[in-house]
Amino acid sequence: MFAKEIYMQRREALVKKMQEMGQGGIAIFLGNNDAPMNYRDNCFRFRQDSSFSYFWGIDEPGFAASLNLENGKACIYADDIDIDDIIWTGPQPSVADKAELVGVARCASQKDFETAVQFALQNDVPVHFLPQARYWNRLRMAELTGTAAAEVFNAAPYEDGDYVHASQELVKAVVELRLIKDAVEIAEIDKACDMGVIMHSIGRKACKLGALERDIAGAMDAYANCKGWGVSFPTILSQNGQTLHGHDHSQIITDGRLLLVDAGLTMDNYYCSDFTRTYPSSGRFTQQQREIYDIVEGANETAFKLAKPGTTYRSVHIDSCKYILGGLKELGILNGDVDEMSAEGIAGMFMPHGLGHNMGLDVHDMEDLGENLVGYDPDQQRAQQLGLGSLRMARKLVPGHVITDEPGIYFIPALWEYFRKNKMDKGFVNFQKLQAYENFGGIRLEDDLLITENGVRHLGTTRLPIKAADVEETMAKE
């Protein structure tokens, strides 16, 4: 929890932005509740809704809040515990005490929250709410607003305009505020990145021939659990690096293969990190692996050098992919003009994902509010090409943006066949040459970046080894 003035300033800024858009009424926020794992009293570890955490700061289940968009008055809603609760939890501060810690003078019960929302609706007072990620919150919001549950389910705007009853104005205001990280947020993300470096170093040290993938992943996750809230997403750790979300950890580290490790740590206040490195299982790259690795590392560095205020991350993605296309052309895997290959979407055959995404309180920050609204400026349209069409962050970069830089090259035989069958290769691909990479796997290299006033910097005080020679040297010493 930050100082209460931070939350007060955030709420004031939200009221101002809503008023600038001509919006009045009230904005209501649902915090998350405990989520049962398999029965009511056996729950997953509690995780607060990120927007509730951002504006209200209380990291406990059973809370809601309202913000008057006319006068800025705020109210926290929750029920004080009774003796039945105290038996299980011990004495707890009152709701009023918790509200005071985040700068809210007024509090009331959850029943009062229902009454307040109903009063607003009955008196034609606009009620603004965000799309709800959790199913319980979707059902709760449907109940509060008298909306069919199915319509609230559709409120999450995964496509532009798919809001139904959620407030598009509130979403835009929240996105605008949360996109730009302030000094206290950047400090927390730096800490998360420093711990993420240690987490990845544990995994790298454990990458030994004969080791089990699950043991490596378990050691990394254990560190995240000991030092923070836990992992920022289920750890991706696999020698099948061509599978973008390789969550299976059942293999033994085998000579001649590559281990792709994509993992992040979440702080207790939910700010997080997200790094990827790819390691030679034996500690040394083969010549074929080194050639591909160097291309990916060069694409990562290209993106870092190009990312700066005023540049769109869409253009950075395209130029990073052109670097990859040029490198594959030098190896004889591709033939033809790099610009033409880029225009035809050939890069998607080898990198079918986007260069990066926003990061903050969530590892894919705010994508529950709508990927296009978060990652695209109003004058931008999502592309249809494989790869570029999956770019989650395309916006013109401004100071305070926190983004990932994660190019990759993946050899996916099923995708080759798809391109060939549908004549998507346009004659640029040397399929005969590709056969030598059928069992290669994939390589991804990811860093977390902060756009500054003068350019860009890596987040965290140290950086994981990324040059091939540095990776080999580091592994040889461990």
Side-chain angles (χ1 to χ4, degrees):
M1 183 181 291
F2 298 124
K4 65 182 180 182
E5 289 77 15
I6 296 292
Y7 301 105
M8 295 170 70
Q9 291 166 7
R10 289 173 175 177
R11 295 191 295 267
E12 289 170 4
L14 180 60
V15 169
K16 182 179 179 181
K17 286 191 179 296
M18 290 295 282
Q19 289 177 349
E20 289 172 351
M21 289 188 284
Q23 299 300 310
I26 61 172
I28 59 174
F29 296 82
L30 290 180
N32 284 339
N33 265 7
D34 283 322
M37 186 184 302
N38 47 16
Y39 62 93
R40 183 175 176 180
D41 292 327
N42 185 26
C43 295
F44 290 102
R45 187 177 180 185
F46 177 74
R47 208 286 193 189
Q48 185 59 281
D49 174 80
S50 293
S51 288
F52 192 91
S53 180
Y54 182 84
F55 290 105
W56 305 96
I58 298 175
D59 190 26
E60 296 181 32
F63 278 76
S66 67
L67 184 62
N68 190 306
L69 300 177
E70 311 288 342
N71 56 29
K73 291 184 178 180
C75 185
I76 292 283
Y77 299 89
D79 298 322
D80 284 318
I81 65 171
D82 57 22
I83 189 62
D84 289 334
D85 298 313
I86 291 173
I87 292 171
W88 299 99
T89 67
Q92 299 291 319
S94 68
V95 173
D97 289 338
K98 295 171 184 177
E100 197 279 329
L101 290 174
V102 295
V104 178
R106 183 170 175 264
C107 61
S109 69
Q110 281 283 7
K111 184 63 178 176
D112 291 329
F113 180 57
E114 297 175 9
T115 302
V117 174
Q118 290 304 310
F119 179 84
L121 292 171
Q122 291 166 6
N123 288 275
D124 296 323
V125 175
V127 176
H128 301 267
F129 63 89
L130 297 172
Q132 304 298 304
R134 293 278 185 96
Y135 281 99
W136 185 92
N137 283 12
R138 292 179 181 184
L139 292 169
R140 176 69 168 146
M141 193 64 78
E143 179 183 37
L144 284 166
T145 59
T147 305
E151 293 179 337
V152 176
F153 288 164
N154 291 334
Y158 296 110
E159 301 295 336
D160 287 343
D162 186 19
Y163 280 85
V164 187
H165 293 289
S167 169
Q168 187 165 0
E169 293 80 14
L170 182 60
V171 169
K172 289 180 177 179
V174 169
V175 167
E176 189 174 343
L177 288 172
R178 286 183 56 191
L179 263 178
I180 308 304
K181 275 52 181 185
D182 60 25
V184 296
E185 293 181 285
I186 292 166
E188 293 304 307
I189 298 171
D190 272 328
K191 293 176 187 176
C193 287
D194 282 341
M195 289 194 288
V197 166
I198 297 173
M199 178 187 179
H200 270 261
S201 298
I202 290 169
R204 185 187 62 245
K205 291 175 184 178
C207 180
K208 304 292 184 182
L209 295 179
L212 293 174
E213 290 177 346
R214 67 179 301 169
D215 288 343
I216 301 172
M220 294 176 68
D221 291 2
Y223 177 83
N225 289 328
C226 289
K227 299 299 183 180
W229 182 87
V231 295
S232 49
F233 57 94
T235 295
I236 298 167
L237 187 149
S238 177
Q239 292 169 100
N240 292 330
Q242 76 280 8
T243 302
L244 299 186
H245 283 178
H247 295 296
D248 176 78
H249 306 145
S250 63
Q251 299 181 87
I252 296 172
I253 302 300
T254 305
D255 193 16
R257 302 189 71 184
L258 293 166
L259 180 67
L260 189 151
V261 183
D262 187 346
L265 179 145
T266 295
M267 301 278 285
D268 288 333
N269 58 13
Y270 305 133
Y271 289 96
C272 58
S273 62
D274 181 8
F275 298 131
T276 307
R277 289 295 186 266
T278 306
Y279 301 112
S281 60
S282 64
R284 295 195 65 84
F285 294 102
T286 67
Q287 180 180 346
Q288 185 191 58
Q289 290 169 348
R290 177 70 177 264
E291 290 170 346
I292 300 300
Y293 186 97
D294 285 346
I295 297 172
V296 179
E297 190 275 324
N300 175 284
E301 183 66 15
T302 295
F304 177 75
K305 290 179 178 178
L306 292 174
K308 60 184 178 181
T311 300
T312 68
Y313 212 48
R314 183 183 190 276
S315 68
V316 176
H317 169 102
I318 291 171
D319 287 339
S320 183
C321 286
K322 285 182 179 180
Y323 186 96
I324 289 173
L325 291 171
L328 294 176
K329 178 181 176 180
E330 288 186 12
L331 294 178
I333 296 172
L334 297 175
N335 315 286
D337 181 78
V338 167
D339 288 337
E340 291 180 9
M341 286 190 280
S342 176
E344 293 291 346
I346 302 302
M349 180 173 166
F350 301 94
M351 183 174 132
H353 62 75
L355 179 65
H357 51 80
N358 289 288
M359 193 183 75
L361 279 167
D362 298 301
V363 69
H364 282 205
D365 210 28
M366 295 180 289
E367 289 185 8
D368 59 316
L369 302 182
E371 194 175 299
N372 288 344
L373 278 172
V374 173
Y376 286 75
D377 289 315
D379 62 348
Q380 293 177 321
Q381 294 292 323
R382 185 181 286 268
Q384 298 301 309
Q385 287 180 351
L386 180 64
L388 182 57
S390 296
L391 180 61
R392 288 178 156 95
M393 174 55 171
R395 284 177 177 266
K396 182 180 289 186
L397 299 174
V398 300
H401 276 154
V402 170
I403 53 178
T404 63
D405 167 12
E406 48 180 309
I409 293 177
Y410 313 89
F411 293 98
I412 309 171
L415 189 57
W416 307 345
E417 183 57 28
Y418 182 83
F419 264 70
R420 176 157 43 188
K421 180 179 178 180
N422 292 282
K423 300 184 178 356
M424 295 168 62
D425 62 289
K426 307 293 183 180
F428 292 116
V429 181
N430 184 341
F431 286 101
Q432 184 175 358
K433 185 79 171 181
L434 266 182
Q435 298 309 308
Y437 298 84
E438 188 170 9
N439 298 312
F440 183 95
I443 294 173
R444 179 164 65 254
L445 299 172
E446 177 183 16
D447 294 309
D448 301 333
L449 309 181
L450 170 68
I451 304 301
T452 66
E453 293 290 341
N454 301 316
V456 63
R457 74 167 174 87
H458 290 105
L459 283 153
T461 58
T462 59
R463 188 185 183 199
L464 287 163
I466 193 168
K467 295 283 187 183
D470 293 336
V471 170
E472 291 181 338
E473 181 181 356
T474 301
M475 295 184 75
K477 294 176 180 178
E478 295 174 337

